[in-house]
Amino acid sequence: MNGAAPITDEMTIPRMRMIERLRDHYKINDERVLEAMLKLPRHIFVPEAIKSQAYNDNALPISSGQTISQPFIVARMTELLELNGDEKVLEIGAGSGYQTAVLASLSRRVYAIERLPNLAAEVEIKINSLGFTNVVLKAGDGTDGWDTYRPYDAMLVAAGGPEVPLPLVEQLKIGGRLVIPIGTDQRKQDLYRVVRSKTGYSQQNFGPCSFVPLIGKHGWS
Ligand code: SAH
């Protein structure tokens, strides 16, 4: 584990309720994911005015018209990556930085890309304030991947595109996992897990979801 130590604060009870809901209602089974989410102060990643809603069972608005994903979606996508702590992970669409912190708690190193520079700058401050030293962040279009640090064991895309961006698959290790929402509608997608093989890749559909659009060269224009 990296970064955040267990915390006891005014949000401990809503945070414990969130974890119970993830385990009992949403059937999240990966105890490492649940433990990481129990330790992280999700409320520092939401705007001050709606801090009291941080542990609710829904997505919330952040700045620049973007959203912090529903806790269940964060847990589900992370669980699908099957992290054991030793991975190099690429995250596209850092947004609030909450998912970045979850990934950083569960892997060796996270390379995170956020399209909007003001959001990227805020993520940097929050991640540092929590004591994470294993996150490298940049502002830019993540649909091209991040060639410098390839190959990756795992990738998580937190915005919905029309198809799987090929540069991402190319930058995955053989056996590497990519979790991404894909859909022909800009606001409605299905959650896919793509696994790279020697000859190409296979993909499995994990059902409907709704993300903000993935905007970029290999996403929406
Ligand atoms: N998991 C994040 C979700 C943030 S919303 C959270 O819970 O906070 C998705 C983010 O993807 C937005 O911040 C948006 O700006 C970003 N995004 C959209 N297209 C992108 C692209 N091509 N490259 C990088 N980030 C992108």
Side-chain angles (χ1 to χ4, degrees), residues 66-69 93 95-96 99 114-115 119 140-142 158 212-213 215:
Q66 305 303 317
T67 51
I68 176 170
S69 303
S96 69
Q99 174 82 72
E114 168 52 50
R115 191 175 76 90
L119 285 183
D141 176 10
V212 298
I215 297 166

Side-chain angles (χ1 to χ4, degrees), residues 130-142:
L130 288 175
F132 288 102
T133 54
N134 60 338
V135 177
V136 184
L137 190 85
K138 75 168 178 181
D141 176 10

Side-chain angles (χ1 to χ4, degrees), residues 73 76-78 80-81 90 92 142-143 154-169 172 177-183 188-195 201-214 218-220:
I73 283 290
R76 188 77 183 117
M77 291 179 90
T78 311
L80 288 173
L81 292 178
L90 180 67
I92 290 150
T143 63
M155 292 182 186
L156 187 153
V157 183
E163 60 200 4
V164 177
L166 272 185
L168 298 187
V169 179
L172 264 185
R177 286 90 52 209
L178 158 64
V179 174
I180 181 170
I182 297 291
K188 275 191 227 140
Q189 305 89 10
D190 280 313
L191 189 61
Y192 283 89
R193 179 168 62 188
V194 175
V195 180
Y201 65 89
S202 60
Q203 64 183 47
Q204 196 181 346
N205 186 333
F206 287 89
C209 54
S210 174
F211 282 81
V212 298
L214 179 71
H218 303 277
W220 299 103

Side-chain angles (χ1 to χ4, degrees), residues 11-28:
M11 297 294 195
T12 301
I13 290 178
R15 192 160 49 247
M16 286 171 68
R17 288 213 184 96
M18 174 184 82
I19 300 301
E20 277 166 25
R21 192 168 58 232
L22 292 173
R23 188 184 278 119
D24 301 340
H25 177 72
Y26 287 111
K27 309 296 176 201
I28 298 296

